[in-house]
Amino acid sequence: MKAHVPVYRPILKHALETAWIHRELWPIAAVAGLAGTGAVVNDVLNHAKLAASFPSSRFSETFGNLHLFETYRDQIIVATTGQITLITLTLILMVILAAFVVAACQQVILRVAHLALKRKTHLSFAQIRQEFMHPRVFRFLSLDLLLKLMIVNLMIVGTWLISGLNIGEIVTDAVFGLIFSATILSLALTLNVLVVMALIGVARKDLGLAESLTYAWRAYRRHSVIFLEMSLLLFAVNFLISSAYDGTILVLGVTATLGFMAALASGSFPVYLCLVALTGLIAVVITLAFAGFATTFTYSAWTALAERLDKTTITPRVVVHGQRMFEHLK
């Protein structure tokens, strides 16, 4: 029996160490995480949740968390034609600017990830700054938009089709719905992985848009099971990070509540306002820290995996463990 050679554990361990050591990347990574790429399973589940609300929900229910769109809708009702034009143009410019900032931050993280993986010293401000303004940012933005458009449309069409089935009473509808749901999720996972690998191709090899997608497709054809295994592992680790974040916020909330009650009991309104401001500041810092750490870890893991696949062939762990199990049964 061949000796077991770990594959994912060294990659994940190194990515965790990289994310912790290079804390200077956390603020940038927190912004880059808004692109929703990297944490493949999480992104698919979030899109599925949003798409599931379309067939039966109103605008306010579907976009309840998108306060910018709610504000736009409310202002349009009472605005004049000139105001509508100004509000619309301002909104478009804000969205475009935000998209470019996210893509630029994403480019920085993926570009410096391979440097961060190989060194334990902090990256200088000059090294990080020179990666911000580069023509690659347009390729990053194009790939991000392509992914979002394809997955959102895929999820919406799939959800509308499934919502028309009588799954609760007709067996064939239930079977078809199950098969179609699995197909939609598989396609969404595939698209996410392809875009992640294409982004890495742009960052590491400076590939063009078409070349990066070709590179991603070839890698996916050869290592589709490997990418699926990595996606599931990253989902598990990010779930633990999210749980730690929720626990930290809960502790902060309980502590802040006790402080608020004490301030109100003492009748000191300035102290109460200071506690509110301090609690809000701490919550923002904690959120940025956890989001930055998770995104830096995720991108570092994908980058390390891509670099390893370029150098050697990896046998899927499900195959290796299956062979070991059969050997034990003999």
Side-chain angles (χ1 to χ4, degrees):
M1 182 186 300
K2 293 182 179 180
H4 175 66
V5 179
V7 174
Y8 299 118
R9 274 178 289 173
I11 290 176
L12 296 179
K13 181 182 178 182
H14 199 180
L16 286 170
E17 291 176 350
T18 300
W20 178 251
I21 292 171
H22 294 280
R23 292 184 286 276
E24 71 275 11
L25 298 176
W26 288 3
I28 301 172
V31 178
L34 297 175
T37 55
V40 175
V41 178
N42 304 64
D43 186 47
V44 171
L45 293 178
N46 289 334
H47 281 95
K49 182 180 177 181
L50 177 63
S53 65
F54 270 95
S56 58
S57 298
R58 296 172 302 183
F59 181 94
S60 59
E61 295 173 345
T62 302
F63 295 96
N65 295 324
L66 303 181
H67 301 296
L68 186 63
F69 288 102
E70 280 195 327
T71 303
Y72 174 76
R73 181 203 60 184
D74 294 338
Q75 293 298 321
I76 286 298
I77 296 175
V78 297
T80 63
T81 303
Q83 291 173 331
I84 292 174
T85 303
L86 180 61
I87 292 173
T88 303
L89 290 176
T90 303
L91 179 60
I92 292 173
L93 289 175
M94 288 174 61
V95 171
I96 292 175
L97 178 61
F100 269 100
V101 170
V102 170
C105 290
Q106 192 180 34
Q107 172 186 240
V108 171
I109 295 300
L110 281 173
R111 279 286 296 170
V112 302
H114 68 284
L115 295 176
L117 284 167
K118 298 174 182 177
R119 56 191 296 182
K120 293 188 177 180
T121 57
H122 292 292
L123 299 169
S124 66
F125 177 74
Q127 288 176 303
I128 297 174
R129 182 186 59 188
Q130 68 182 2
E131 296 296 341
F132 262 105
M133 296 307 296
H134 193 281
R136 280 186 302 265
V137 72
F138 293 98
R139 283 170 268 171
F140 274 76
L141 184 58
S142 298
L143 288 170
D144 286 336
L145 292 177
L146 176 65
L147 175 65
K148 295 304 177 186
L149 288 173
M150 292 183 69
I151 288 189
V152 167
N153 282 283
L154 183 65
M155 289 293 182
I156 292 175
V157 171
T159 303
W160 268 329
L161 179 60
I162 293 173
S163 66
L165 300 175
N166 191 356
I167 297 176
E169 298 180 6
I170 302 176
V171 176
T172 54
D173 280 11
V175 172
F176 178 79
L178 180 63
I179 295 174
F180 196 78
S181 298
T183 303
I184 291 293
L185 291 176
S186 298
L187 287 174
L189 285 169
T190 299
L191 289 171
N192 266 274
V193 172
L194 286 174
V195 169
V196 170
M197 293 306 298
L199 290 171
I200 292 174
V202 173
R204 291 180 60 239
K205 303 175 183 293
D206 199 22
L207 300 177
L209 197 59
E211 292 174 324
S212 66
L213 290 171
T214 302
Y215 160 78
W217 174 245
R218 288 174 179 171
Y220 185 80
R221 276 196 313 175
R222 294 195 303 267
H223 311 290
S224 56
V225 179
I226 294 292
F227 290 139
L228 176 59
E229 291 176 342
M230 176 58 84
S231 299
L232 294 175
L233 287 172
L234 290 177
F235 172 73
V237 176
N238 277 288
F239 176 78
L240 294 176
I241 295 174
S242 298
S243 299
Y245 168 74
D246 292 338
T248 304
I249 291 296
L250 178 62
V251 171
L252 175 64
V254 171
T255 305
T257 300
L258 295 176
F260 295 157
M261 293 174 63
L264 291 174
S266 66
S268 177
F269 189 66
V271 173
Y272 174 79
L273 290 179
C274 289
L275 283 175
V276 171
L278 181 61
T279 302
L281 178 61
I282 294 175
V284 170
V285 171
I286 290 174
T287 300
L288 289 176
F290 272 93
F293 176 82
T295 303
T296 305
F297 157 73
T298 301
Y299 283 176
S300 297
W302 279 116
T303 301
L305 178 64
E307 291 181 353
R308 180 157 185 176
L309 290 175
D310 284 345
K311 298 175 182 177
T312 184
T313 300
I314 300 176
T315 304
R317 296 297 90 185
V318 65
V319 174
V320 172
H321 292 304
Q323 291 174 344
R324 290 171 63 88
M325 183 182 68
F326 282 121
E327 288 176 359
H328 281 297
L329 293 176
K330 288 182 180 179

